Amino acid sequence: IVQQLQNMRPPAQQLDTGPPPARAAPAMADGSSQAQAIVQQLQNMRDQRQMMTSKLSELDMELQEHKIVLTALSKLPDDRRCFRMIGDVLVERTNVEVRQAVIQNRDNLEKAMEELRNKLKERDAELMEFVKKHNIRVSSDASALKQGSQEEGSDQQQSGGVLV
């Protein structure tokens, strides 16, 4: 035990030898973690855009259904009995009442779709600005990047862009 204690370095000498390799690794990992954070933020923005696009598609399908119903109801007499599903309950109404409700729903759907289209345009602009700000090249540009890197040499290392 005494020999082991003598062979051990005192703590003061360990501090004088400089930073251990473990401290140098986080400095290199910091750049890659920053790149990963940028890629993650880009992916989140793309996911939000995709959700908005799918919601817009869903609303468009619902709008088309409303138009089909309105076309069918317009051919019927105004006093004819119609049944409308409200939640889980089937309610008896006249053709005029149902048609007015469907027209109101159609108008609301059109307004919601217009608002969603405007938000989608804003999201697209934000996404393009983010891509330009961080010099991001998407994976579809990967083949062009490989060809360009062969021709340009080390220009890619200087640009600091993120390849997604």
Side-chain angles (χ1 to χ4, degrees):
I1 297 176
V2 173
Q3 288 178 346
Q4 290 175 348
L5 290 174
Q6 289 174 349
N7 291 335
M8 290 177 50
R9 292 183 182 169
Q13 288 180 356
Q14 289 179 356
L15 294 175
D16 293 337
T17 60
R23 289 187 179 184
M28 292 186 296
D30 187 38
S32 66
S33 66
Q34 184 180 13
Q36 288 176 352
I38 291 171
V39 169
Q40 184 64 38
Q41 188 175 357
L42 176 68
Q43 189 61 42
N44 289 342
M45 292 173 80
R46 283 182 173 173
D47 291 345
Q48 289 175 356
R49 186 190 179 285
Q50 181 62 36
M51 287 180 2
M52 291 172 80
T53 304
S54 64
K55 185 64 175 178
L56 189 62
S57 176
E58 179 183 326
L59 290 176
D60 187 47
M61 289 175 44
E62 196 170 330
L63 180 65
Q64 295 306 318
E65 289 176 8
H66 278 69
K67 289 180 179 180
I68 291 170
V69 169
L70 284 173
T71 303
L73 290 176
S74 66
K75 297 175 184 176
L76 300 175
D78 289 342
D79 59 344
R80 177 148 182 190
R81 290 186 316 173
C82 290
F83 294 91
R84 179 175 182 227
M85 186 72 105
I86 300 177
D88 293 338
V89 179
L90 192 61
V91 180
E92 182 180 352
R93 303 278 185 212
T94 64
N95 183 12
V96 173
E97 294 171 336
V98 172
R99 198 171 357 147
Q100 289 173 350
V102 172
I103 288 172
Q104 184 178 9
N105 286 347
R106 181 199 61 192
D107 294 343
N108 290 338
L109 279 173
E110 288 173 344
K111 288 177 186 176
M113 287 178 64
E114 187 61 34
E115 289 176 12
L116 194 56
R117 281 189 194 107
N118 291 337
K119 287 182 182 179
L120 187 60
K121 287 178 185 178
E122 291 173 7
R123 181 68 59 185
D124 285 342
E126 289 175 9
L127 187 63
M128 292 304 294
E129 183 179 324
F130 185 81
V131 167
K132 287 180 184 178
K133 177 181 176 184
H134 294 287
N135 193 21
I136 298 173
R137 296 184 186 111
V138 292
S139 61
S140 62
D141 296 339
S143 60
L145 178 64
K146 288 178 184 177
Q147 294 172 355
S149 65
Q150 291 172 355
E151 295 171 3
E152 295 174 7
S154 65
D155 289 342
Q156 180 186 1
Q157 293 174 350
Q158 296 173 355
S159 68
V162 177
L163 178 64
V164 179

